[in-house]
Amino acid sequence: MPSRDPVIIVGAGPAGLAVAASLARHDVATLVIEAEPQLPRDLRAGTFHPPTLEMLQSLGIAEDFLAIGLRVPRWQIRGRKEGVIVEWDLGLLAELTPYPFRFHCEQFKLTPLLARRYAALGGELRFAHRFLDATQDADGVSARVETPDGITTLRGRYLVGADGGRSAVRQTMGVAFEGFTWPERFLVASMEYDLAPHGFTMNAYIADPVDWSAIFKMPGDGPPGIWRVLFPIDAERPEEEVLAADHVERLMQNFLPRSSPYEIAYKSIYRVHQRVASEFRQGRMLLVGDAAHVNNPLGAFGLNGALHAAFNLAEKLAEVWRGEAEESLLDRYVRQRRGANIEFVQAQSIRNKELLQERDPAVRATKLDALRRTAADPALAKEHLIRSSMIWSVRYAQSLA
């Protein structure tokens, strides 16, 4: 008879809470521990693709989530000099998904919905519990955790590391984080100034050999919403110079000149990585989310891929925990989600970045002309959207035995 020890999930971000709520929905005993004193507030990710919304609906929270964000039915690829190259209409996916649009909402607004659903299912979430390390044996995992009352040991049947790119669980497993770091950093400037009258859709990517950028409109604190503009920044330039008001103003005026200064609500800068853990599983310890893989944000594949992996893992782990499947089923999770991440998330996000920053005029012209031809053909455009909306990557993962 399998033990009733819980699955311990380290990290209360979207991936960790999605695993936890999905497991709890399947009557699996769980415990989530989070190092921070409250749910983390991460401003970076905020675009959700159709398959992700479908998965959230399986938890009964998609409609509540949709009520607080922005539906983005069309998005653009533009040239800084050429203007709109293509404008994609996600209505072409209407027969494939109940959510034929991109959805914009800050990820920190999703975590409370997941946490409430998890609590309603009887789950336990402990804040200010920092994972230190763990050992495993034939029956389970013993995790050492620093709490406000001192260091304690928690016993679980499995341990899931959903604790971000610097994952302590991954380090405990001794797993390499293979890949590279991009030479530039990304700066994101956010403002209320409305870009729609200038022809921008709520999501657009602007190609240029030097000054490429990307824009996303987010709900912010409510109407009228807030526009984020992303710029590549020289990695060697001091952070205080990069974030200085005059420097951000120059970037914005170069992006879209106007007679008055921009009022920047907030700005941030971060490094960007393309990395995948060499292993997603070692015995009773597993990785999901940024602990397992990270990538650049162009295409919005990182958070979505993390959530796709979370639901995939929970489905399989629930069967194993209840004694309905052999533990080897967890290896299928690894094959499916590591495979999908390498074959699509990593490869496509790199291609997206290379498209925007292409410097060779002939190569750039060829790539942009190919996009125009694809957009002009409804069948090719639909196939492109199936891939860029991550429907393809979910199907691909499911096809891996």
Side-chain angles (χ1 to χ4, degrees), residues 97-139:
T97 175
Y99 308 107
F101 46 82
R102 291 186 173 189
F103 179 68
H104 284 185
C105 189
E106 298 86 348
Q107 75 169 47
F108 68 82
K109 296 178 182 176
L110 172 62
T111 47
L113 295 177
L114 287 166
R116 284 197 292 271
R117 182 60 178 148
Y118 177 53
L121 292 166
E124 182 180 2
L125 170 55
R126 300 182 190 176
F127 291 108
H129 278 53
R130 183 178 300 278
F131 173 86
L132 299 176
D133 53 38
T135 58
Q136 60 180 312
D137 53 46
D139 299 315

Side-chain angles (χ1 to χ4, degrees), residues 56 75 95 110 149 154 204 264 319 396:
L56 293 175
W75 59 280
E95 65 182 30
L110 172 62
D149 298 320
L154 302 175
I264 303 300
E319 290 186 41
Y396 174 75

Side-chain angles (χ1 to χ4, degrees), residues 239-296:
E239 185 169 326
E240 59 272 19
E241 290 185 13
V242 170
L243 294 175
D246 60 342
H247 177 250
V248 176
E249 179 66 19
R250 283 196 298 273
L251 290 174
M252 291 301 306
Q253 291 290 347
N254 184 53
F255 166 74
L256 182 65
R258 62 187 294 242
S259 58
S260 56
Y262 284 90
E263 294 183 13
I264 303 300
Y266 53 86
K267 54 202 171 184
S268 61
I269 188 169
Y270 58 94
R271 298 302 300 265
V272 183
H273 312 273
Q274 301 278 163
R275 296 186 183 276
V276 183
S278 58
E279 301 174 48
F280 283 17
R281 177 191 174 210
Q282 280 193 349
R284 294 177 176 273
M285 300 185 193
L286 301 111
L287 299 174
V288 73
D290 284 0
H293 47 74
V294 293
N295 55 274
N296 81 67

Side-chain angles (χ1 to χ4, degrees), residues 219-243:
D221 295 329
I226 197 160
W227 292 79
R228 295 178 179 175
V229 186
L230 180 152
F231 302 99
I233 299 294
D234 181 0
E236 302 304 318
R237 193 166 186 178
E239 185 169 326
E240 59 272 19
E241 290 185 13
V242 170
L243 294 175

